[in-house]
Amino acid sequence: MPDITDIADRHDAVCVIGAGASGLATIKNLREQGFDVDCYERETSVGGAWNWRHDRSPVYAGTQLISSRPLTEFPDFPMPDDWPDYPHHSQLLSYLERYSRHFALGEHIWFGTEVVAVTPVGDGRWDVTTQSTGGGGSSRIQRYSAVVVANGHNWSPKVVEHEGSDGFRGQVIHSSAYKDPAQLRGRKVLVVGAGNTGCDIAVEAAQQATTVWHSTRRGYWIAPKFVFGRPADQVNALMFKRRLPLRLRQWLYRQIVRITVGDATRFGLPAPDHHPYESHPIVNSQLVYYAGHGRILPVPDVARFDGASVELTDGRRVEPELVIMATGYLPRFEFLAPELLDQDADGRPDLHLHAFARRHPTLAVVGLVQADAGLLPLAHWQSVAVAKWLRLHATDPARAADVQRKESSRPLKTWTRRNVLPTSRHWFEVSHTSYLRVIDDLLTELEPAP
Ligand SMILES: Cc1cc2nc3c(=O)[nH]c(=O)nc-3n(C[C@H](O)[C@H](O)[C@H](O)COP(=O)(O)OP(=O)(O)OC[C@H]3O[C@@H](n4cnc5c(N)ncnc54)[C@H](O)[C@@H]3O)c2cc1C
């Protein structure tokens, strides 16, 4: 237990953890609500996942966005008109750096400082222990009125264990360690996983490697990046805006895929075992192209590793020199006791709107959503809601309690996608249109009394 005299009281200030896209939006929106803010970032610059200079950044040289520009930019800070529909990752980093400069956010960020513990004081406030990530690793504790976690959920690899992998004679890496096509050149490569990253890397491998196997557990709905000359997410958003019923959207999705991609099983890809909208969208125009040219060989799930070979679930054996496990990422909140975010045994938090801690009104998470569009607009509106909520909580606790009572009865199905595959990849799946509608309702409730 620290001595109380060791704790610096920051009074009404709010602590923000992380200076990626979500943390930056949170600082800005808390400042607009009049809060003092201290943001801690363990890296030495802003940008989070998009900052390829950071060791934990999951992006690789060829990463292009899969959400299109208008559905990715912050609503109050447009991307340049002359940028492509799907910008390169370096453009997203320069966009976030400009956003930070434009709103003068840097002066509120403590770089090279990791949050290692966040503990409730008992009166709604929090003691935040930070540690310098440079040389000495000096540590300090400060007391805040509220904490907003914006630590991202795409940096801690989800490791899938396979029998025999220890003795495997080839190289096995997680996709987070894949950075450059040179790693693939002239090699026999097995890519495991059919998320957007797995599909993208399989396509890069098709252009570099001598042989590419792409192992997937199931078939997915693969949408092309452009439909009728428009980015696919914009066509999808149009269907949501018109409030078309799910069955009709599923039917239209099937028709669009039928017209644009056709029957992908012709190219050896497995048929989806679920309906459209029951899994996170895969957006890739080249996977089918390279499968159709025999450059990508679709294969089933990995059963086990055995010496120089990998045995697949259909009994076939392949002998890759490099295996890239594109098995995704898991959220991690090691600085918080699991019960504070109501995490289950698998580490999955249970938060209202995937953002508000149910039993701690002064604790929230921003950016913990997975949508059918870009994350930044959602992180923006989440952080506006969090900032307004904290303001109401501080100024009118009786009304804040009313809002909390009302919000806690909001049906889950109105803001989160329930009918999705039961995998960790879909823990935070939302439809961005429905989600933003609900946040909009909440913002109306949070308006100060006339
Ligand atoms: C390959 C790939 C492609 C993607 N493509 C898209 C796309 O096309 N469109 C899209 O919208 N999204 C995409 N994403 C999702 C992407 O993660 C988000 O766009 C965005 O980066 C999330 O921002 P964030 O701030 O929530 O998290 P992050 O960007 O991960 O930032 C979190 C920050 O918190 C810091 N941090 C973490 N823990 C601590 C701690 N304890 N103390 C201090 N600092 C801490 C980290 O250093 C980091 O800077 C993609 C992700 C991947 C992996």
Side-chain angles (χ1 to χ4, degrees), residues 173-213:
I173 61 170
H174 184 266
S175 57
S176 55
Y178 170 68
K179 295 291 160 198
D180 192 275
Q183 289 168 264
L184 308 165
R185 207 157 293 152
R187 302 176 83 182
K188 292 189 282 178
V189 179
L190 170 66
V191 181
V192 179
N196 282 295
T197 299
C199 294
D200 276 357
I201 296 177
V203 164
E204 293 207 353
Q207 299 162 72
Q208 305 290 339
T210 53
T211 309
V212 184
W213 298 277

Side-chain angles (χ1 to χ4, degrees), residues 70-295:
L71 290 177
T72 304
E73 64 199 6
F74 288 121
D76 53 358
F77 195 72
M79 290 185 186
D81 284 342
D82 59 356
W83 277 13
D85 285 318
Y86 293 105
H88 185 247
H89 70 80
S90 57
Q91 290 177 300
L92 201 63
L93 174 60
S94 81
Y95 171 77
L96 293 174
E97 289 169 342
R98 276 195 297 116
Y99 178 86
S100 174
R101 275 197 303 278
H102 180 80
F103 294 107
L105 305 179
E107 62 195 77
H108 308 286
I109 307 173
W110 299 80
F111 290 107
T113 309
E114 177 157 16
V115 171
V116 292
V118 175
T119 46
V121 175
D123 58 358
R125 292 185 299 156
W126 301 86
D127 282 347
V128 175
T129 310
T130 56
Q131 202 152 38
S132 150
T133 53
S138 60
S139 148
R140 64 193 297 213
I141 305 175
Q142 291 175 96
R143 186 160 289 176
Y144 289 94
S145 66
V147 172
V148 185
V149 179
N151 67 335
H153 57 106
N154 281 312
W155 55 267
S156 179
K158 178 179 170 187
V159 177
V160 178
E161 302 286 351
H162 284 106
E163 184 194 328
S165 57
D166 282 349
F168 180 58
R169 291 209 279 280
Q171 185 189 8
V172 183
I173 61 170
H174 184 266
S175 57
S176 55
Y178 170 68
K179 295 291 160 198
D180 192 275
Q183 289 168 264
L184 308 165
R185 207 157 293 152
R187 302 176 83 182
K188 292 189 282 178
V189 179
L190 170 66
V191 181
V192 179
N196 282 295
T197 299
C199 294
D200 276 357
I201 296 177
V203 164
E204 293 207 353
Q207 299 162 72
Q208 305 290 339
T210 53
T211 309
V212 184
W213 298 277
H214 187 203
S215 159
T216 63
R217 194 179 299 172
R218 55 163 56 87
Y220 284 95
W221 292 94
I222 301 168
K225 275 193 134 168
F226 295 93
V227 174
F228 312 129
R230 305 294 305 170
D233 58 355
Q234 295 177 19
V235 176
N236 187 44
L238 203 65
M239 294 202 268
F240 270 92
K241 274 206 187 102
R242 297 258 150 100
R243 296 185 186 240
L244 301 184
L246 175 65
R247 292 247 182 262
L248 180 55
R249 274 186 286 121
Q250 285 175 326
W251 181 83
L252 283 168
Y253 196 106
R254 283 176 199 275
Q255 299 318 308
I256 288 170
V257 170
R258 193 172 60 81
I259 294 164
T260 52
V261 181
D263 177 7
T265 62
R266 268 201 70 237
F267 309 106
L269 292 161
D273 59 357
H274 53 280
H275 299 294
Y277 296 107
E278 288 179 357
S279 62
H280 188 65
I282 307 295
V283 192
N284 193 308
S285 296
Q286 292 172 290
L287 188 80
V288 171
Y289 174 90
Y290 283 108
H293 286 73
R295 299 289 305 132

